Amino acid sequence: MKNLAFAIFALLTLTTGIAQTEITGTVEDDSGVPILGANVLIVGTAEGTTSDFDGNFLLTTNLSGSQTIRISFIGFSPMEQTVDLSGSTVTLNIVLQESGQQLDEVVITASSTFRSQKQAPLSISSKKIAEITKLSANSQADILRDVPGITAEGGGGETATNLFVRGLPSGGQYVFNPLQYDGMPLISTFGLNSSAHDVYARPDIGFKGVEFVRGGAAVLYGAGSVAGIINYTSKTGDTNPGNIINVEWGSRGRLKTDFYSGGRLGGEDSNTFYAFTGFIRKDDGPIETGLATRGVQFRGNIKKRFEKGSFTIHAQYIDDKAQFFLPLPLQGDSRERIAGNDGEDVEQLLSGELAETSFLTPGGVYNSPIEDGVFTKGGYIMGDFVYNFNDRLRFKSKIRYADYKHNFALYVGGNGDFGNPIRLSDYASATGDRVAPGNTGFTATYQGGDGSQISDNDLVVENLHIDRLRPLEDFSGEANISLKTDNNVHTFTLGAFLARSDAEDVNFQYRVLSEFNNNPRLVNLSFANAGGGNTIFSEGGIYNRIGQTTNRFLSQSRTAVYLTDEMVFDRWRVDVGLRVETTTGTFSDGGLEDIQVYDNPELTPELSTVRFADGSFTRAEINATDWAFSLAGLYELTETTNLYANFSRGFFFPQQRGFIPTPGIRETAYDGENIFQFEGGAKFGTSAFSGSIAGYFVNLSDRVRVDQAIVNGSLIDERRSEQTTRTFGAEATWLYRFAQDWSLNGTATYQNHEITQNETTDLTSGDVSTINEGNEIGRQPNFLGSLGLNYDNSNFDANFTLNHTGSKFTDDTNNVELDAITIARIGAGYTFRTEEINSVRVGFSVFNLFDSDGLTEGNPRAGIGGQVDDGEFFFGRPILPRRFFLTATFNF
C-alpha cells in the first residue's frame, strides 16, 4: 500500500513538473487590423508560432516561470512582453506599431517569400499610399521621381510618363520596366503600338502603395523585367477595412474625388471581404487648352479566405480623357516661353477649336477624336488563387484578361515648314508664291470669327496633329508552386508565365494653321490667284488633310518558365534562378494610297487629296527564344548593417513594330537584346537612420531601337538602330530621424553612360551608317538627386522636397545640352480626430513651388541629324507650371 501511495505521489509530482502552459492571443496593427504571419517567439528558445488570418495565435510550452515573449512582423517595430508561465492560460492582446525604418518595409515583388527590404539582396524603393495622396501627383513621374537611378519626365501631363532607368537607352515610357497592378502587368507586351503602360490605368487611393524593384531577380518572375518592376498593391477588405474619401481642388480648374470602401461581406463569421475604389475628376489644366481632361475609374476586389488559402477577383473599369502636352517653340537664347499675340507667354498650342474636326476619306467621313486627348475606355478582370497544402508547400496562380479602346491624340504644336512663329504677312508671302504663283493678295480670317481680316503683324504657326488609334486586347497568366525544405534553408519555386496581346496601330494625320497664342484660334487663308480666281490654302484651320499614315495589326505571344531558390543560412541569404522564354508574333502592315476625294477646284492638292488604306497587306512573323539567370547574396554583417551583391544576365525582346515586313519575305530576323547587370552595396538600419549605398554596372548589347521623326510633313518611323551601351553608376538613399517628429530623407545617383556601338539604318532610304559611338545616351543625366525635410506629430504634418535632374543631351547626337533642373514641392496638413478610427485631414501642396521653366526634353523627333540650336528659336518641353492643391481626406 505504501508503494502504491508513493507511486501515485511521484506521478502527480512529475505531472506537475511538466505542466504545459497555453499562450494565446491576437496581433493587430494600431488601426485594429489583424496581422497575418506575425512571429511569436519565446526569447532564448526555439519555441514559437505565427498568427493566422484573423491575427490569432496559440503556443503551447512546457517552460515555466518568468519568460519573455517577442512578437515581430516585417514593417512593424517588434514588441516584447514578460509573462509568468505556471500552467494557467496566458492571454496577450498585442498591438504592433509601424516601423520608422524604410528598410523594414515588406517586399512582395520579385520574390517568393516575405522579407524586408533590408533582407533582400537587390535595390528596392517603396512609397505608401498616404504619401502618394499627399502629393496630389500630376503623373507617375511625380510618384517615381525620387527613386534612385530613375529619370522621370512628366512634362506631358498625367499620362505617358517617360522613365529612363540606370542608363538604359530608350525613348522613355516603360520600355524596360513594366507597370504592374497586384503582380501582373497592365500590358504583357510592349512595342505593338508604343503606347505607355500608364495610359491604361491611373493610381487611386485603393492601393497600399508602390514598390520599384531594380535588377537582380526582377528578370525572373512573372512578366520579367531587365531594369525593374513597378508594382502597385491593392488594398483588400480583410487587411484594410474602413472607408476613405479624398476631395482635391487644384488651380487651373481641377476637381477630383477619390474613394475607398473595404470590409467584410456578410456577418461576423463571414470569410468573404470586399474592397471598392476609384475616382471621378475634371481638369482644365495643368495647361489650359480649351479641351478638358475628365474621366472616371473604378477598381475593386472580392476576396474569399478559406482554411488553406484564398481566392481574390480583381477588376477595373476606366473611361478617361487626359490632354497631353508636347514640346513647342521657345526663345533660342534663354529657352524661355515666347509671348503670344495677346502678350501672354505661350504654354501650349493645342486649340479647343479643333474639337469635332472631320474630313472626307475614300472610306467615308473621318471624325478626329482630338478633343479626347489620351483616351482609354475598358478594363481588366483578374483572378488570384493561393493554396497552402501545408506549412511548406504553396501554390499560387493569377490569370488576367484586359480589353481597351485607346486613342492617343498627339498634337505637335509648332511643326512644319514654318514651325516657329512668323508674322502673317511674311507667312502669306512665302506660301503664296508656292501654292498660287503670281497671286495678287490674300485673305486671312479666324475660324468662327466675324470674318474681318487678321492683322498682318499677328503671329501664326504651323502644327501637326496625329490621331493614334490603338485598341488592344491582352491575356496573361502566371502559376507557380513553392516548396520550403524541412530545415527552412531552401525555398524552391517553379513557375510559368503565359501571355498574348493583339493590337492595332492605325494613325491619321492632318496639318493645322493657327495664331501663336494659348488655346489659339484657327486661321483660314486663301489667295487671289493670277487668273482672277480663288485658291483656298486652309479651311477650318486645316491646310493639309494628310489622311491615314499607318494601318498595322500586330499580335505577340510569350511563354516562359522559371526556377528559383531562395536560401537562408545563419547570416547569409542567397537567391538563384533561371528563366527561359519564347516569343512569337505576327505583323501585318497595310498599304496606303493617295486619292482625290474633294472636287472643289479652289482647293490645293493638299486639301483635295487624302491618303487611305488600299486593302493590301504585307505580313511577317517573328520568333525568338532567350534565357535569363540571376544570382544574388546578402550577408548580415551586424545587427544594423547588411552587405549584398547581385548579378544577372537578362534579355529584352525588342519592339515588334520596329521589324516592318519586307514584301516577299515572311520571316524576319528577330533576336533578344542581352543585358548584363552587376550591383553591390550595403544597407543600414537603426532606430534613427536607415539607408543604402550601391554601385552598379549595366551593359546592353544588340539593342534594337526605332526612332520617329517628322519627314515630308508626316510623323514616321525614320530609323532603326542596333546599339550597344554601358553604364557605371552609384546610388545612395537615406532617412534620418534627427529629432522627435522630424526627418530628413534623400537619394543621390551618379551614372556614367556611353554608346559603345551604334549602327543605324535610315528606313526611308535604306542607307546604313555608324553614328554617335562614344557619345552619352540621350535624355539621361549623369547626376540625379532628391532631398526632403519632413515633420509629422500625427496631427500636424509638413514637408518640403527638392528633385534635381542634372544636365543632359537632347538626343544621342549630343549636339544640344539641356540645363539641369530642380523642382521644389511644399505641403502641409492637419488631422482632426473625431474618434479613435475617424479622422479628417485638411492639407495643401504646391507643385513646382518656384515656377521653374526648365526643360524636361528637347525635340525627340528631330531626325537622324539630331536637334540643333539654330539661335532664334529652340524646340523643347518645359516643366509643368506651378500648381496649387487643396485636399480634404475623410477616414471613417
Side-chain angles (χ1 to χ4, degrees):
M1 190 70 179
K2 285 183 178 181
N3 290 337
L4 179 60
F6 178 79
I8 294 173
F9 175 76
L11 181 61
L12 290 173
T13 302
L14 179 63
T15 303
T16 303
I18 60 172
Q20 292 183 322
T21 300
E22 286 189 351
I23 306 170
T24 186
T26 60
V27 184
E28 299 177 339
D29 66 13
D30 56 5
S31 300
V33 177
I35 296 177
L36 164 66
N39 295 308
V40 181
L41 179 70
I42 302 176
V43 176
T45 76
E47 296 188 39
T49 187
T50 58
S51 58
D52 64 15
F53 278 116
D54 297 312
N56 299 320
F57 66 88
L58 174 63
L59 173 62
T60 302
T61 179
N62 293 323
L63 297 174
S64 61
S66 179
Q67 301 288 342
T68 300
I69 309 298
R70 179 181 174 88
I71 302 93
S72 63
F73 186 68
I74 294 173
F76 293 81
S77 298
M79 179 179 179
E80 293 186 352
Q81 189 163 330
T82 302
V83 298
D84 183 53
L85 304 181
S86 60
S88 300
T89 300
V90 175
T91 302
L92 302 176
N93 295 312
I94 304 299
V95 178
L96 295 182
Q97 302 296 321
E98 289 192 13
S99 170
Q101 292 189 34
Q102 284 183 321
L103 296 180
D104 279 341
E105 295 296 329
V106 64
V107 180
I108 62 173
T109 307
S111 177
S112 60
T113 59
F114 285 96
R115 51 188 177 181
S116 69
Q117 292 185 22
K118 189 177 178 182
Q119 295 170 333
L122 64 166
S123 293
I124 302 166
S125 300
S126 63
K127 191 169 290 188
K128 294 182 179 179
I129 193 61
E131 184 180 355
I132 296 173
T133 303
K134 292 175 184 177
L135 276 176
S136 297
N138 289 303
S139 66
Q140 290 283 353
D142 286 355
I143 298 172
L144 301 171
R145 188 174 278 120
D146 58 359
V147 175
I150 283 186
T151 304
E153 296 177 352
E158 286 194 16
T159 60
T161 291
N162 287 321
L163 292 182
F164 305 89
V165 183
R166 288 187 168 180
L168 288 169
S170 75
Q173 301 177 340
Y174 299 81
V175 175
F176 290 110
N177 40 278
L179 181 61
Q180 294 190 164
Y181 278 14
D182 298 304
M184 291 293 281
L186 286 173
I187 297 299
S188 61
T189 58
F190 183 84
L192 298 188
N193 57 25
S194 86
S195 282
H197 292 188
D198 62 1
V199 305
Y200 301 105
R202 311 281 188 271
D204 54 47
I205 62 172
F207 290 107
K208 296 178 182 178
V210 61
E211 289 180 344
F212 194 121
V213 177
R214 304 182 295 285
V219 302
L220 301 177
Y221 294 92
S225 170
V226 293
I229 296 173
I230 305 167
N231 187 38
Y232 283 85
T233 304
S234 295
K235 297 175 181 177
T236 53
D238 56 337
T239 59
N240 298 91
N243 306 282
I244 305 172
I245 294 178
N246 184 74
V247 181
E248 178 182 294
W249 172 89
S251 56
R252 302 194 180 208
R254 180 176 177 85
L255 290 171
K256 182 183 181 186
T257 299
D258 283 81
F259 66 89
Y260 169 80
S261 179
R264 194 184 299 268
L265 280 174
E268 293 184 0
D269 296 331
S270 172
N271 283 325
T272 303
F273 303 84
Y274 80 95
F276 185 55
T277 185
F279 67 78
I280 181 170
R281 65 101 161 75
K282 169 261 181 187
D283 197 342
D284 295 327
I287 297 175
E288 296 180 18
T289 64
L291 300 172
T293 287
R294 61 197 183 277
V296 299
Q297 176 177 273
F298 302 114
R299 290 191 314 109
N301 58 72
I302 296 176
K303 184 175 184 177
K304 174 69 174 179
R305 290 191 333 211
F306 43 90
E307 182 180 358
K308 291 191 174 184
S310 65
F311 179 67
T312 308
I313 296 177
H314 298 263
Q316 175 231 19
Y317 173 78
I318 185 172
D319 185 349
D320 192 75
K321 302 171 176 124
Q323 298 306 319
F324 188 70
F325 314 110
L326 283 169
L328 76 166
L330 306 169
Q331 296 180 32
D333 50 358
S334 64
R335 298 180 184 173
E336 295 178 348
R337 293 181 173 91
I338 303 171
N341 293 324
D342 59 5
E344 299 292 326
D345 287 347
V346 175
E347 296 179 330
Q348 187 56 224
L349 289 167
L350 180 58
S351 173
E353 292 187 1
L354 287 167
E356 310 300 334
T357 293
S358 64
F359 53 84
L360 292 176
T361 75
V365 176
Y366 174 69
N367 296 294
S368 170
I370 182 172
E371 68 270 20
D372 293 344
V374 181
F375 166 67
T376 305
K377 184 176 183 179
Y380 67 77
I381 185 168
M382 182 177 80
D384 185 350
F385 177 66
V386 179
Y387 187 80
N388 299 298
F389 293 94
N390 51 50
D391 291 340
R392 303 191 180 281
L393 186 62
R394 181 185 63 196
F395 175 77
K396 296 172 64 177
S397 177
K398 296 179 181 180
I399 187 168
R400 183 178 180 277
Y401 170 75
D403 190 5
Y404 293 102
K405 178 182 178 182
H406 167 56
N407 307 325
F408 200 123
L410 199 69
Y411 193 79
V412 189
N415 180 273
D417 293 334
F418 297 92
N420 295 320
I422 183 174
R423 293 172 64 247
L424 172 63
S425 57
D426 294 334
Y427 180 80
S429 176
T431 57
D433 291 341
R434 177 174 57 85
V435 301
N439 70 86
T440 59
F442 68 91
T443 301
T445 60
Y446 286 124
Q447 172 77 8
D450 58 8
S452 59
Q453 177 78 5
I454 301 173
S455 169
D456 286 357
N457 292 321
D458 276 11
L459 297 176
V460 297
V461 66
E462 294 181 345
N463 313 279
L464 172 67
H465 179 67
I466 305 131
D467 287 324
R468 296 161 137 179
L469 313 180
R470 296 174 168 180
L472 181 143
E473 189 177 36
D474 188 75
F475 305 81
S476 57
E478 180 183 13
N480 63 53
I481 188 164
S482 296
L483 173 66
K484 181 181 290 187
T485 57
D486 291 341
N487 57 7
N488 294 324
V489 170
H490 298 273
T491 299
F492 296 102
T493 301
L494 176 65
F497 177 81
L498 305 173
R500 177 183 171 86
S501 296
D502 295 277
E504 297 180 22
D505 186 12
V506 176
N507 290 358
F508 281 83
Q509 301 183 19
Y510 51 90
R511 289 194 161 275
V512 176
L513 180 65
S514 73
E515 65 172 334
F516 190 73
N517 258 353
N518 292 304
N519 189 13
R521 291 172 290 181
L522 306 179
V523 176
N524 293 330
L525 177 63
S526 61
F527 296 92
N529 59 46
N534 188 45
T535 299
I536 299 174
F537 176 77
S538 64
E539 62 176 4
I542 298 178
Y543 71 89
N544 189 343
R545 299 184 182 101
I546 300 171
Q548 191 170 1
T549 54
T550 64
N551 187 36
R552 297 172 179 170
F553 299 82
L554 306 96
S555 66
Q556 190 163 2
S557 299
R558 300 172 57 192
T559 302
V561 294
Y562 57 88
L563 176 64
T564 69
D565 182 14
E566 295 184 6
M567 294 165 270
V568 180
F569 301 100
D570 181 23
R571 286 178 173 266
W572 284 93
R573 290 177 177 267
V574 179
D575 295 353
V576 63
L578 177 69
R579 176 188 180 102
V580 178
E581 181 171 340
T582 295
T583 186
T584 60
T586 60
F587 189 156
S588 298
D589 188 26
L592 304 168
E593 63 178 339
D594 293 326
I595 302 174
Q596 181 176 336
V597 294
Y598 291 86
D599 56 10
N600 183 352
E602 295 184 347
L603 297 177
T604 64
E606 288 81 5
L607 288 177
S608 61
T609 301
V610 178
R611 189 173 304 152
F612 199 72
D614 64 8
S616 67
F617 284 92
T618 302
R619 292 180 171 84
E621 298 175 352
I622 59 100
N623 66 83
T625 299
D626 218 319
W627 59 277
F629 172 78
S630 175
L631 175 64
L634 180 140
Y635 179 71
E636 297 179 2
L637 183 66
T638 67
E639 191 171 316
T640 61
T641 303
N642 292 345
L643 306 179
Y644 76 97
N646 61 70
F647 165 82
S648 64
R649 187 272 190 197
F651 61 89
F652 176 80
F653 291 128
Q655 300 179 48
Q656 188 178 333
R657 68 186 185 90
F659 293 80
I660 299 174
T662 301
I665 302 176
R666 191 64 184 263
E667 293 187 1
T668 300
Y670 183 86
D671 296 300
E673 303 165 5
N674 297 319
I675 301 179
F676 293 88
Q677 298 185 81
F678 174 80
E679 176 186 4
K683 301 183 180 186
F684 316 94
T686 68
S687 58
F689 177 84
S690 61
S692 63
I693 186 170
Y696 61 86
F697 168 76
V698 181
N699 188 87
L700 168 63
S701 59
D702 304 319
R703 165 70 170 147
V704 175
R705 174 172 170 171
V706 178
D707 290 295
Q708 295 185 319
I710 309 294
V711 177
N712 297 326
S714 298
L715 179 67
I716 65 169
D717 291 338
E718 186 207 25
R719 63 190 184 277
R720 180 177 180 268
S721 301
E722 296 186 13
Q723 293 181 328
T724 297
T725 65
R726 64 114 184 99
T727 301
F728 294 94
E731 298 173 352
T733 67
W734 63 89
L735 173 63
Y736 177 45
R737 301 182 181 276
F738 59 90
Q740 183 175 355
D741 304 326
W742 288 91
S743 65
L744 186 70
N745 67 281
T747 65
T749 301
Y750 174 78
Q751 51 188 14
N752 184 309
H753 43 76
E754 180 184 356
I755 301 170
T756 56
Q757 294 181 23
N758 190 88
E759 186 177 89
T760 296
T761 301
D762 186 332
L763 298 177
T764 62
S765 65
D767 294 339
V768 179
S769 59
T770 299
I771 60 175
N772 303 330
E773 291 186 357
N775 288 357
E776 292 190 11
I777 300 170
R779 301 176 70 174
Q780 303 204 45
N782 295 120
F783 181 76
L784 296 159
S786 66
L787 187 66
L789 178 65
N790 310 281
Y791 177 83
D792 192 343
N793 68 2
S794 76
N795 287 322
F796 177 73
D797 63 87
N799 64 83
F800 175 74
T801 60
L802 295 171
N803 291 104
H804 178 80
T805 302
S807 59
K808 58 185 179 181
F809 291 105
T810 58
D811 52 53
D812 291 349
T813 64
N814 291 187
N815 293 334
V816 178
E817 187 175 31
L818 301 179
D819 293 336
I821 57 176
T822 300
I823 301 175
R825 191 161 201 149
I826 192 170
Y830 189 85
T831 302
F832 302 87
R833 303 187 187 278
T834 56
E835 295 180 21
E836 184 176 346
I837 61 173
N838 293 349
S839 66
V840 178
R841 180 189 181 273
V842 179
F844 80 92
S845 68
V846 182
F847 168 78
N848 196 3
L849 178 64
F850 304 120
D851 206 20
S852 168
D853 57 1
L855 303 185
T856 63
E857 67 176 73
N859 182 5
R861 300 166 186 86
I864 290 178
Q867 185 168 8
V868 295
D869 196 341
D870 61 8
E872 185 179 2
F873 297 101
F874 185 82
F875 201 71
R877 178 157 63 180
I879 302 168
L880 293 175
R882 178 170 52 214
R883 203 170 197 198
F884 181 82
F885 300 90
L886 288 175
T887 58
T889 307
F890 303 85
N891 285 270
F892 57 95

